Amino acid sequence: MTTWGSRGDVEPLAGLAVAVRELGGEAVVCAPPDEEFVTLLDRVGVPMVPLGPTVHSIVANPKPPTGEDAFRLAPELVRARFETLTEAAEGCDALLATGLMPAGAPDVAEKLGLPYVFACFHLLGLPSRHVPPPMLRPGPPSPAGETDNRVLWRQDAERVNALYRPAVNEHRAAIGLAPVDNVRDYVFTEQPWLAADPVLCPSEGKTDLNVFQTGAWTLPDDRPLQPELEEFLGAGEPPVYVGFGSMAAHAPKDAARVAIEAVRTRGRRVVLASGWAGLTAIDELDDCFVVGDVNQQALFPRVAAVVHHGGAGTTFAATRAGVPQVVVPRIADQPLWAARVAELGIGAAHLDPSPTAESLSAALAEVLTPETRARAKAVAAEVRIDGATVAAKRLLDLAA
């Protein structure tokens, strides 16, 4: 199994690898060598092979990555996949890839004669006659007057080719494979796997591809909360959790101050996740507790609301916990999750990526109601928690 991306790309693979192991199989994960990911996979006993540069070195900069950065990173990742996966997949029975466009992974599978699966955690970026491309890829934009979605998706494929095809075909030629014309479609295959919950991410009619939806891949977490956090939780009413995960360069401006002040105006305490942005308390008051890596499965059911960036994993964790959410999306699929949370009535979407204390307080007022909590609990009962097992069974069948 391989990925390159944030915690939200790596942890689901850890969950799938554990599910495969529980069914009698074995799995190795090739992932970026960030210390956080190394620790995560080691904690659950899943072998890891480092692949490519650390994600932190790319995203944790004062400025977000540029298009020029993408054109430098793309061939580097292609080379890393050809080199790393070719060795790591020797003796394996299947290869599954996800994360940032895993160009190079299906090529290695082809060379080794292995079944190949592309998996994704949302529908953003999958071709669809119903909606235009999200226009997130670097490269020339489509003409302003073009409205034919089929044309727009062909142009999306051209942008992917510009990023990846020269490196892909150079490495394919080196191992005796014919060139690939459409890198995006070759990577995606005709039946990608969708590792997202059907309640949160209904797929029917959303893409032209024949997706196999497994449900979200969750890594079971039985770690206890630290004693100091337990003491804080027990010292008053349920606090509000605020965290923006590994979105270091994309965290809202003055995120800690804005969040703490907003929560305080609602008369609540705060559990603040430092994350890759390194958020810290803004004063010495005892109504704020800062955490690092924490068991969300244990913590979220005990908070009043979850304020987060809208990553797929955090959205599912909060939904599964039956707790109201305020989603402050910044990039990629995050606005989609924010919109779905609002549509389901289990939280609010704060679509302005730069909230003020006043605007975030208003969003919290909207969700800190008995009605929203009741709706969140009702939806929690509908989501499925066996996604990793469903995928593991299918993967082992494919490997056999």
Side-chain angles (χ1 to χ4, degrees):
M1 305 176 184
T2 184
T3 190
W4 195 90
S6 68
R7 172 82 176 240
D9 296 294
V10 177
E11 186 164 329
L13 280 194
L16 178 59
V18 169
V20 165
R21 186 174 65 202
E22 290 175 346
L23 293 173
E26 297 178 39
V28 60
V29 172
C30 298
D34 295 76
E35 182 179 354
E36 177 181 347
F37 307 152
V38 174
T39 301
L40 168 68
L41 290 161
D42 181 66
R43 174 167 62 82
V44 295
V46 172
M48 176 184 170
V49 174
L51 184 147
T54 65
V55 177
H56 196 274
S57 67
I58 304 298
V59 304
N61 295 311
K63 295 182 179 180
T66 64
E68 290 78 10
D69 294 330
F71 276 92
R72 286 191 293 268
L73 178 63
E76 181 179 359
L77 289 178
V78 169
R79 176 187 56 78
R81 292 188 185 107
F82 271 89
E83 294 177 354
T84 302
L85 297 181
T86 299
E87 181 177 351
E90 283 287 350
C92 293
D93 301 301
L95 194 158
L96 179 144
T98 186
L100 182 67
M101 182 64 67
D107 313 87
V108 170
E110 178 184 346
K111 178 64 177 179
L112 298 178
L114 300 178
Y116 163 76
V117 173
F118 169 73
C120 51
F121 306 119
H122 50 76
L123 295 167
L124 189 72
L126 296 187
S128 170
R129 73 192 74 177
H130 306 293
V131 296
M135 290 299 296
L136 294 176
R137 308 190 202 279
S142 296
E146 182 59 72
T147 58
D148 188 326
N149 288 332
R150 292 167 296 182
V151 173
L152 293 172
W153 279 107
R154 283 200 297 271
Q155 293 166 347
D156 174 78
E158 291 168 5
R159 285 189 285 272
V160 175
N161 280 340
L163 276 168
Y164 295 99
R165 189 168 62 184
V168 165
N169 285 337
E170 176 186 346
H171 288 282
R172 285 178 66 88
I175 58 176
L177 296 179
V180 168
D181 179 57
N182 187 318
V183 173
R184 186 199 67 192
D185 291 357
Y186 184 61
V187 168
F188 284 176
T189 77
E190 294 182 354
Q191 189 179 55
W193 292 11
L194 177 59
D197 184 79
V199 173
L200 279 171
C201 186
S203 61
E204 188 171 352
K206 302 292 186 181
T207 174
D208 296 342
L209 301 180
N210 179 30
V211 300
F212 170 59
Q213 188 160 12
T214 65
W217 300 346
T218 302
L219 177 65
D221 195 342
D222 58 2
R223 293 175 298 164
L225 300 177
Q226 63 188 98
E228 296 83 1
L229 177 55
E230 283 283 4
E231 182 179 352
F232 179 80
L233 292 172
E237 293 297 313
V240 171
Y241 171 92
V242 178
F244 298 100
S246 52
M247 292 293 101
H250 302 283
K253 184 179 179 181
D254 297 328
R257 180 191 59 79
V258 167
I260 293 171
E261 290 181 359
V263 174
R264 283 173 174 169
T265 63
R266 303 262 61 92
R268 298 280 182 168
R269 301 178 301 149
V270 189
V271 172
L272 181 68
S274 57
W276 283 12
L279 303 184
T280 60
I282 60 174
D283 52 39
E284 300 297 324
L285 297 181
D286 61 1
D287 63 347
C288 179
F289 190 94
V290 180
V291 297
D293 182 29
V294 69
N295 182 350
Q296 293 182 345
Q297 295 169 30
L299 175 59
F300 282 5
R302 300 176 63 181
V303 302
V306 173
V307 179
H308 63 98
H309 59 297
T314 307
T315 303
F316 179 75
T319 303
R320 178 185 177 186
V323 61
Q325 307 174 50
V326 174
V327 186
V328 186
R330 300 282 291 186
I331 60 171
D333 57 315
Q334 296 168 8
L336 297 181
W337 297 114
R340 185 59 178 161
V341 163
E343 182 181 16
L344 287 169
I346 60 176
H350 191 296
L351 296 181
D352 185 341
S354 300
T356 64
E358 293 75 18
S359 66
L360 190 56
S361 175
L364 282 167
E366 182 181 340
V367 305
L368 290 171
T369 65
E371 294 78 15
T372 304
R373 177 163 285 275
R375 177 61 182 157
K377 288 188 176 299
V379 171
E382 299 175 13
V383 300
R384 60 186 306 169
I385 60 174
D386 63 342
T389 300
V390 170
K393 289 178 179 178
R394 179 78 167 246
L395 189 57
L396 288 171
D397 287 344
L398 183 66

